[in-house]
Amino acid sequence: MEKADIGLIGLGVMGSNLALNIAEKGHRIAVFNRTAARTDAFVGNAGELAGRIVPCHTIEALAEAIRPPRPIILMVQAGGAVDEQIALLREVLKSDDIIIDAGNANFHDTVRRFAELAPTGLTFIGMGVSGGEEGARHGPSIMVGGTEESWRRVEPVLTAISAKYEGESCAAWLGAGGAGHFVKTIHNGIEYADMQMIAEIYGVLRDGHGLEAKEIAPIFAKWNEGRLNSFLIEITASALAADDAKTGKPVVDIILDRAGQKGTGKWSAVEAQTLGIPATGIEAAVAARVLSSMKKEREAAQAAYGAAATGTLPKPDQAALTDLELALFAGKIAAYAQGFAVMAGASEEFHWELPLPTVAKIWRAGCIIRSQFLGRIAEAFSAGPVSNLLMAPAFVTMMKEAHPALRRVVAQASLAGLPVPALSSALAYFDSYRQARGTSNLIQAQRDFFGAHGFERIDSPGAHHGPWGSGAAKAG
Ligand SMILES: NC(=O)c1ccc[n+]([C@@H]2O[C@H](COP(=O)([O-])OP(=O)(O)OC[C@H]3O[C@@H](n4cnc5c(N)ncnc54)[C@H](OP(=O)(O)O)[C@@H]3O)[C@@H](O)[C@H]2O)c1
């Protein structure tokens, strides 16, 4: 039988769609799934693409079916399953073959796997894939980590299956080792922040202005034609407009207000903290999901404290809607600035030389946070190095226009008792970032007072102590 060009393990949601995408682009692909019935069902449903798919019921058969040097994509549950499959592959693969982990791995695991596989002669690639089921099938955004040489070996197939933005492929090599999975992690963290801020604006419209889902849907649809144009705004408008088949009510009104957080969202907040880069929008979004899951506790707290007064804001006129649109835009700028700052920090720490303009470019299509806005980010980073996206001249102009609206929306929501944790954290980040004289002089005084930690003076170098002496320290 004719050998396959590539192999894939794991025919779940992502793996099966990626395999069809690869087959559709003219590549012969061998597939294996732990549960054999899934492999058979997959090929049975592959239609005319079945002719390019080689079903395998053992790892040995999979290895046999591919033409050396064999590239094999792993699309299984992140964590132990990846290690298990790699252990099995090590038994059947030879030096020069390539294992590509395409799941949402923790980049620390990816770094470890690179080290473990180095002595074997096998090539390893850690690859972030974004775009969900639809992206995997028709063109995801692909973030590759590994050696440049390994990227060159898989570039043709990855470029072929990736999303395209105005003809440009949304697959790229981003750096060594864990670079690809790190960037995917931050992508997901930004996605959390983006989604949370959209939900907060929805909350202001629903609970503050008292609008129904059907009234809110066209507002988002309109915003999708302007500066907020993005996949997430588009699907928000569609979701708000959809009816529940069972009750006839808007679907969003019958969905329980409880969301989970797992893996990449949390990791992005943790990594930001570890690197010492503020990512308050991502942190707020992760925390908001955790709080959302505490439904019973929230109900008890509302009974104890009373609910926020709903519908106290007047029906929004055009000026109020523009404020909400600009507030969301300002929050988005701050959250993306933070996400890119975290990647810049990691790039320095791990010597990846992450190409930030390329990261923004490969997110313009295929992935969940795809938007026009990412094109502006790519332009800003291409124009020359900036310490933070907020300092890129084009973003200074945009933020100057948008932050007063963010301020008004956050203030109004707070006075009405409506939670806007990600938007208010974005505002606090911006206000702290642009404040030349902050308040940590007092923090340093406190630290020196109770712990003799010393402080820097504004008028002479070196470490100094305050006039509080040992008596003051004892008082602490
Ligand atoms: N869904 C998304 O939108 C999305 C987007 C980007 C990235 N990802 C990532 O892509 C990866 C796959 O996600 P998915 O949504 O496709 O998951 P899924 O539909 O739940 O499928 C999981 C796959 O992993 C296999 N598997 C699980 N444990 C295994 C083990 N111990 N040994 C061998 N195979 C095992 C399953 O095989 P069986 O059939 O035998 O159970 C199945 O093929 C994950 O890392 C996920 O985080 C998902």
Side-chain angles (χ1 to χ4, degrees):
M1 196 200 280
E2 190 192 338
K3 296 268 188 194
D5 307 312
I6 191 165
L8 183 141
I9 298 178
L11 291 168
V13 175
M14 291 297 282
S16 55
N17 282 291
L18 207 62
L20 292 174
N21 186 355
I22 293 170
E24 192 176 63
K25 300 299 175 305
H27 298 279
R28 200 167 162 76
I29 180 166
V31 297
F32 167 78
N33 191 69
R34 175 182 60 176
T35 310
R38 206 165 190 171
T39 309
D40 298 334
F42 169 70
V43 181
N45 293 326
E48 58 185 21
L49 294 176
R52 290 200 202 114
I53 298 169
V54 185
C56 305
H57 290 151
T58 63
I59 286 262
E60 290 78 8
L62 178 83
E64 259 314 294
I66 310 164
R67 184 175 347 100
R70 296 167 284 197
I72 297 184
I73 296 174
L74 281 174
M75 201 36 130
V76 299
Q77 220 76 54
V82 175
D83 289 314
E84 282 170 34
Q85 296 305 305
I86 290 176
L88 294 172
L89 284 172
R90 283 176 72 160
E91 303 287 316
V92 294
L93 294 185
K94 294 202 170 65
S95 169
D96 230 30
D97 289 335
I98 310 175
I99 300 175
I100 306 162
D101 177 18
N104 276 341
N106 184 316
F107 90 103
H108 293 292
D109 283 339
T110 305
V111 169
R112 169 179 57 77
R113 288 172 187 138
F114 267 99
E116 287 169 359
L117 286 169
T120 67
L122 290 169
T123 296
F124 188 58
I125 288 177
M127 180 170 105
V129 176
S130 176
E133 184 175 2
E134 191 60 21
R137 178 66 184 85
H138 298 292
S141 173
I142 298 177
M143 297 146 256
V144 174
T147 63
E148 187 172 6
E149 195 254 327
S150 68
W151 156 247
R152 296 285 165 229
R153 289 170 64 190
V154 291
E155 185 182 358
V157 63
L158 296 183
T159 302
I161 64 168
S162 72
K164 308 289 178 302
Y165 183 86
E166 293 179 356
E168 259 182 87
S169 161
C170 290
W173 172 64
L174 300 176
H181 278 140
F182 188 89
V183 170
K184 171 67 182 11
T185 297
I186 300 304
H187 165 283
N188 285 21
I190 293 174
E191 177 185 309
Y192 266 54
D194 221 339
M195 292 169 73
Q196 174 63 26
M197 289 189 290
I198 292 171
E200 290 172 13
I201 293 290
Y202 155 69
V204 172
L205 286 164
R206 184 190 68 181
D207 301 331
H209 294 282
L211 298 192
E212 299 294 334
K214 284 275 184 310
E215 296 173 288
I216 304 173
I219 296 174
F220 278 99
K222 182 92 183 69
W223 289 347
N224 194 41
E225 292 165 11
R227 52 168 72 79
L228 288 173
N229 173 265
S230 61
F231 172 69
L232 281 172
I233 294 287
E234 180 193 328
I235 63 163
T236 299
S238 301
L240 285 162
D243 289 325
D244 172 42
K246 188 170 156 197
T247 60
K249 292 182 182 168
V251 177
V252 289
D253 290 345
I254 54 97
I255 299 178
L256 193 62
D257 57 327
R258 202 159 66 180
Q261 64 82 33
K262 57 174 185 170
T264 46
K266 181 178 82 182
W267 297 338
S268 51
V270 169
E271 294 309 330
Q273 292 275 3
T274 306
L275 288 162
I277 313 276
T280 55
I282 297 170
E283 287 164 13
V286 174
R289 288 211 192 174
V290 175
L291 260 167
S292 85
S293 70
M294 299 157 72
K295 177 78 172 166
K296 285 256 174 312
E297 257 182 89
R298 288 190 288 117
E299 284 170 345
Q302 178 167 315
Y305 287 99
T310 54
T312 52
L313 302 175
K315 273 232 178 281
D317 57 13
Q318 192 46 53
L321 289 177
T322 303
D323 255 12
L324 288 164
E325 181 190 8
L326 277 170
L328 190 47
F329 191 59
K332 191 172 164 120
I333 292 175
Y336 279 67
Q338 294 174 351
F340 275 86
V342 174
M343 288 189 285
S347 181
E348 210 174 305
E349 175 78 15
F350 303 113
H351 313 289
W352 285 330
E353 295 180 24
L354 286 180
L356 295 184
T358 304
V359 172
K361 280 184 184 172
I362 62 171
W363 288 352
R364 288 176 303 176
C367 69
I368 303 300
I369 61 171
R370 60 186 181 260
S371 66
Q372 271 189 4
F373 177 68
L374 281 156
R376 310 292 299 268
I377 296 180
E379 280 164 23
F381 283 121
S382 301
V386 276
S387 52
N388 184 298
L389 189 63
L390 283 171
M391 294 307 291
F395 279 80
V396 172
T397 306
M398 286 187 257
M399 198 60 174
K400 273 184 170 169
E401 185 195 357
H403 81 83
L406 177 61
R407 200 169 300 290
R408 285 190 290 273
V409 168
V410 167
Q412 211 170 34
S414 302
L415 289 172
L418 301 171
V420 284
L423 289 169
S424 56
S425 79
L427 179 62
Y429 171 77
F430 171 71
D431 282 341
S432 306
Y433 186 70
R434 63 106 182 233
Q435 187 182 40
R437 184 176 185 230
T439 53
S440 50
N441 48 329
L442 182 61
I443 307 277
Q444 292 299 62
Q446 291 163 337
R447 293 181 67 246
D448 188 55
F449 197 112
F450 66 66
H453 292 291
F455 52 75
E456 293 171 293
R457 291 183 64 97
I458 57 172
D459 54 3
S460 66
H464 299 269
H465 291 284
W468 17 83
S470 57
K474 266 188 221 137

